[in-house]
Amino acid sequence: MSRRGLWFLAASGAALLSVILTSEHSVVRAQVPGRMRTVPEPVSPPSAFLPPVTPTVHFVDVAAKSKFSYTSNNDFTGHKYFPQPMCGGIALFDYDGDGKLDIFLTNGAKLPDYTRPNPSFYNCLLRGRGDGTFEDVTRQAGLEGANLDFSFGVAAGDIDNDGHPDLFVANAGPDVLYHNNGDGTFTDITKGSGLDLKPKGLLSVCAAFFDYDRDGLLDLVVSRYTYWDPANDLRCPTPIGEVYCSPTIYKSVSHSLYHNLGGGKFEDVSRRAGFAASAGKGMGIALADFDDNGWMDVFIANDTEPNFLFMNKGDGTFAEESWAWGVAYDDKGTVVSGMGADAADYNNDGYPDVFYNNLQSQIWGLFQNEGGKRFYYSSPATGVARLSRRFSGWSNAFVDYDNDGWKDLYSANGDVDYIGENSEQHDTMFHNVEGKGFVDVSEGLGPDFTQIGYQRGSAVGDLNNDGFPDLVVTSLNRKPRILLNSGGNGNHWLWLDLVGRKSNRDAIGAKIKLTTASGRTLFSHVSTSVGFMSSSDRRRQFGLGKESQVRSVEIRWPSGKTQVIENVAADRHLRIEEPK
C-alpha cells in the first residue's frame, strides 16, 4: 500500500502528527478570516508550462577534507523521546574577524538524564580557512557545551556592538548566551543576563537577533514549542511500531521577546510587547519589514497551529495579524506542520515574501507580499504545491544559487523517522523562472546535493568567498555536509558587508535596493534568521546575471539614514559602513 493510503504518521518540529489524508491536505482545518485572499489552484497553473532548466552549477561536499569528529547525535537507541527529531542547528559567522566564515554546530544529549557523557554529544566550532577546509577549534574557544543539555537552534549576533559576534543557543533546558571575547574564546554569560529565567521544561527551538526598537542594540526573539520533561515523556505505540507522539497532545505556549538593555543584560518584554497573548508551537522565524513602515516584523511558523505574524507598531509593541494578512493558514484554511521559515523578495517587486516548508503530502507555503498590505498564497500558481508534495522539509532558504538575479527555493528534507517509503529524502532546489514559477533542478546539482538522509538544519553563506552561495546541512546521526558551489557559470555578483554605526553593528534590518546598469532592480534586507534552528551569512548576496556593472546601491539603515553608492563594479565583496 502506498504511503498516502496508510494511516499516515506525519511529522513536524519535534513530533509526528497523526492524520488521515483525505486528499493532499491533512484534515486539521480552521476558519479562514474574511480578509484572507484565497485562490483555488488552477487546473493548469502557469508554472506547469515552464520549460525544464539545466543547472549551470553544482555542489560538492568538502567535509571530508577537514578533520573533525562532530556528528549530530540525538541519542536514538530505539526509545523515542519527544525532542529527538530536532538536532543539528547551524550558525555561519566570522567569529575571529579574519574575513572567512566559520561554522558552529549544536548537538543533542543523552536521554533521559540530559547529560553529555562523551564528545559525540558536544557542540562544534569549525574555523574556516577560506579554501573550503576547516579546523576544529571547539575546545580552544570554550564552546563544547559539555554542561548543556539537548540543544536545538543557534543565533549569531553582535549583542554589544564590539565587532565580535556572540552566540545564543536554544535548549530543551536552560538556554545559553556566549559572549565573544575577541581573542578566539567565548564566555558563558547567561547567569544574570535575564535569559536565565526560562521556566523549567519549556523547549526553546529557534532564535533570532534583530533590533525591534531601533535603539542600536540587537534584541532577541525565541520560538518556544511546549513544556516537556524526560521523566514524563509520553509513549505512542502503533501497529507499525512506536512513533513520536502527535504535537496536538502537547500544550501550546507563547513565544518570547527580549529587549537588549546593554552590558549583556536582557529584559523579557513578551507580555508588554504583545507576544505573550498568542500560544503556538514555534519553529522557524523569519524577519522582515513586511509593510515597509521602517520597523522589522516577525513571522513564526507553528507546528499544527496557525502561523503567527507579529507586526511591529513602532512603539515597542506588536500586533499579531496573521489572519488579516493571510499567512495563518494555507488557501484552504488548513494548519500544517510548519518548520523552517525565510523572508525575501522572490519576484523583485520590492516587498519581502514568506516561504515555509512542512511535511510530505502537505504543501509548502509560498506567500507573495502584495504591496505591503496582505499576502497571496502563491504555492499553487508558482508550482511549489506540485513540486513539494512528496517531500518533508525542515530547514529552508531563499537563495540565488546560480547568481542569475532571481531568488530560488532551497529545502533540507527528510521525514521525522522511518515510517515507510521515502522516509530518507534528498534536498531540493526549485529554480526561480523570472518570478513567474519554479522548476525542480535538484537532480542536476550533483550527487552530493541529492544524498538522502534525515536532513535537519541548514545555513547559507559564501564559505570560500568566490561569490557563489554555499550550503551547510546537518542530518541526524551523520556528519554535516559542507556543500561548496562550483560557480564558474559566467554570472556576475556582488556581496555587501554592511556595518552599522548608529544602527546595530550587524546592520540587521537594513534594506537594500540595487539598480544595475541596464535599469534592473533587485532588493534585499539584512537578516541572519533563515530556515530551521540556524543562522546564515550576515552578508547580502546579489546575483547580477550577465551584467558586470551596478549603477547604484541604495541602503536604508535601521537608524533611518539613507545612503547611495554609485557606479559599483561587480564580482566583489564590498564592505559599506553607515555614515557617522
Side-chain angles (χ1 to χ4, degrees):
M1 178 180 290
S2 72
R3 178 188 180 104
R4 193 166 294 168
L6 292 170
W7 173 263
F8 179 67
L9 302 167
S12 71
L16 289 173
L17 167 62
S18 298
V19 299
I20 297 177
L21 294 184
T22 56
S23 60
E24 295 301 333
H25 298 272
S26 79
V27 296
V28 183
R29 294 183 180 276
Q31 178 93 23
V32 180
R35 289 183 59 189
M36 179 176 178
R37 174 177 173 179
T38 59
V39 179
E41 182 174 356
V43 176
S44 298
S47 58
F49 301 101
L50 293 175
V53 174
T54 301
T56 56
V57 301
H58 59 274
F59 289 88
V60 177
D61 183 4
V62 297
K65 295 182 179 180
S66 302
K67 293 182 179 180
F68 62 91
S69 60
Y70 171 90
T71 61
S72 62
N73 188 347
N74 70 348
D75 192 39
F76 180 72
T77 58
H79 189 89
K80 296 182 177 180
Y81 291 98
F82 187 73
Q84 284 176 322
M86 297 187 292
C87 186
I90 304 167
L92 297 186
F93 69 131
D94 181 8
Y95 87 95
D96 55 357
D98 65 355
K100 305 176 185 69
L101 281 183
D102 312 299
I103 305 172
F104 179 75
L105 303 148
T106 70
N107 219 329
K110 195 74 178 173
L111 295 169
D113 56 1
Y114 271 166
T115 60
R116 293 189 168 190
N118 58 67
S120 71
F121 290 102
Y122 287 177
N123 299 335
C124 181
L125 177 64
L126 300 176
R127 181 177 180 271
R129 296 190 175 103
D131 59 356
T133 63
F134 295 83
E135 173 190 8
D136 189 336
V137 295
T138 315
R139 187 175 297 275
Q140 301 95 297
L143 288 174
E144 297 152 292
N147 60 326
L148 297 182
D149 51 38
F150 206 107
S151 296
F152 300 123
V154 56
D158 188 355
I159 64 170
D160 53 3
N161 293 326
D162 66 353
H164 309 295
D166 312 294
L167 290 173
F168 174 86
V169 180
N171 298 309
D175 301 326
V176 176
L177 179 64
Y178 291 106
H179 179 260
N180 188 333
N181 301 317
D183 60 0
T185 67
F186 290 78
T187 299
D188 183 345
I189 62 169
T190 314
K191 187 175 182 179
S193 68
L195 301 177
D196 55 343
L197 303 176
K198 184 180 80 170
K200 183 178 180 181
L202 182 59
L203 302 185
S204 304
V205 176
C206 295
F209 286 111
F210 75 126
D211 185 5
Y212 77 87
D213 58 351
R214 291 169 37 182
D215 65 352
L217 295 173
L218 288 179
D219 310 299
L220 180 69
V221 58
V222 183
S223 65
R224 314 289 197 185
Y225 195 92
T226 191
Y227 285 96
W228 179 85
D229 186 277
N232 302 312
D233 190 54
L234 300 176
R235 306 265 60 82
C236 291
T238 73
I240 62 172
E242 182 182 319
V243 299
Y244 294 105
C245 295
S246 166
T248 57
I249 70 175
Y250 288 92
K251 177 182 176 63
S252 298
V253 294
S254 60
H255 309 314
S256 299
L257 180 66
Y258 294 93
H259 180 236
N260 189 338
L261 302 175
K265 308 295 184 182
F266 289 80
E267 177 188 7
D268 187 344
V269 296
S270 308
R271 186 172 301 279
R272 186 167 74 237
F275 274 65
S278 303
K281 295 183 174 73
M283 301 290 272
I285 302 171
L287 304 171
D289 179 7
F290 294 113
D291 57 359
D292 199 31
N293 69 347
W295 303 88
M296 289 199 85
D297 311 304
V298 180
F299 173 85
I300 299 180
N302 282 311
D303 183 2
T304 69
E305 301 277 358
N307 302 311
F308 293 154
L309 181 63
F310 294 101
M311 298 301 295
N312 193 331
K313 298 167 69 174
D315 59 1
T317 67
F318 292 76
E320 202 292 288
E321 299 182 358
S322 58
W323 282 43
W325 279 70
V327 291
Y329 311 99
D330 65 13
D331 62 337
K332 295 179 174 62
T334 306
V335 293
V336 293
S337 303
M339 303 244 201
D342 194 13
D345 182 8
Y346 81 86
N347 59 345
N348 291 334
D349 67 352
Y351 291 92
D353 311 300
V354 167
F355 170 47
Y356 68 79
N357 53 12
N358 44 47
L359 295 181
Q360 183 177 349
S361 294
Q362 297 177 6
I363 290 176
W364 297 350
L366 182 64
F367 292 84
Q368 181 181 317
N369 190 330
E370 295 191 315
K373 297 178 181 178
R374 63 185 64 84
F375 285 95
Y376 159 52
Y377 184 71
S378 59
S379 295
T382 58
V384 171
R386 174 172 45 84
L387 297 175
S388 66
R389 281 193 178 105
R390 64 190 181 98
F391 295 102
S392 292
W394 287 77
S395 195
N396 64 349
F398 285 103
V399 55
D400 183 1
Y401 77 96
D402 59 354
N403 275 330
D404 69 350
W406 296 98
K407 298 175 184 68
D408 312 293
L409 299 179
Y410 165 78
S411 180
N413 304 323
D415 252 336
V416 171
D417 189 16
Y418 180 77
I419 50 175
E421 60 186 88
N422 200 29
S423 292
E424 288 189 290
Q425 298 176 2
H426 64 73
D427 294 350
T428 48
M429 187 75 75
F430 297 163
H431 182 91
N432 186 343
V433 182
E434 298 180 349
K436 301 172 184 175
F438 294 85
V439 176
D440 190 341
V441 296
S442 311
E443 297 289 348
L445 295 177
D448 291 344
F449 183 86
T450 53
Q451 177 180 313
I452 63 171
Y454 298 98
Q455 273 68 247
R456 291 305 183 252
S458 70
V460 180
D462 190 357
L463 296 173
N464 56 359
N465 289 330
D466 69 346
F468 282 78
D470 311 301
L471 296 165
V472 179
V473 189
T474 57
S475 185
L476 291 184
N477 302 307
R478 293 184 182 178
K479 284 186 174 295
R481 284 176 297 149
I482 303 175
L483 296 168
L484 285 192
N485 191 321
S486 66
N489 64 358
N491 284 344
H492 297 285
W493 49 269
L494 181 69
W495 285 69
L496 301 180
D497 180 4
L498 303 188
V499 180
R501 294 303 183 192
K502 184 177 181 181
S503 305
N504 66 87
R505 187 179 177 88
D506 284 352
I508 303 296
K511 302 176 187 178
I512 309 164
K513 176 183 177 181
L514 182 147
T515 305
T516 68
S518 69
R520 183 184 185 188
T521 53
L522 307 173
F523 300 88
S524 187
H525 70 278
V526 181
S527 174
T528 60
S529 182
V530 177
F532 178 65
M533 301 193 303
S534 302
S535 184
S536 285
D537 195 343
R538 183 179 61 80
R539 300 172 296 181
R540 295 296 88 190
Q541 171 210 6
F542 287 89
L544 302 176
K546 302 307 177 183
E547 299 198 59
S548 60
Q549 191 70 24
V550 172
R551 180 190 301 170
S552 66
V553 175
E554 179 183 325
I555 303 166
R556 291 165 57 188
W557 295 91
S559 66
K561 295 180 181 178
T562 298
Q563 182 178 8
V564 178
I565 299 174
E566 298 180 334
N567 300 321
V568 179
D571 303 330
R572 56 193 292 206
H573 290 83
L574 180 63
R575 180 184 174 94
I576 302 175
E577 295 189 4
E578 181 181 16
K580 295 182 179 179

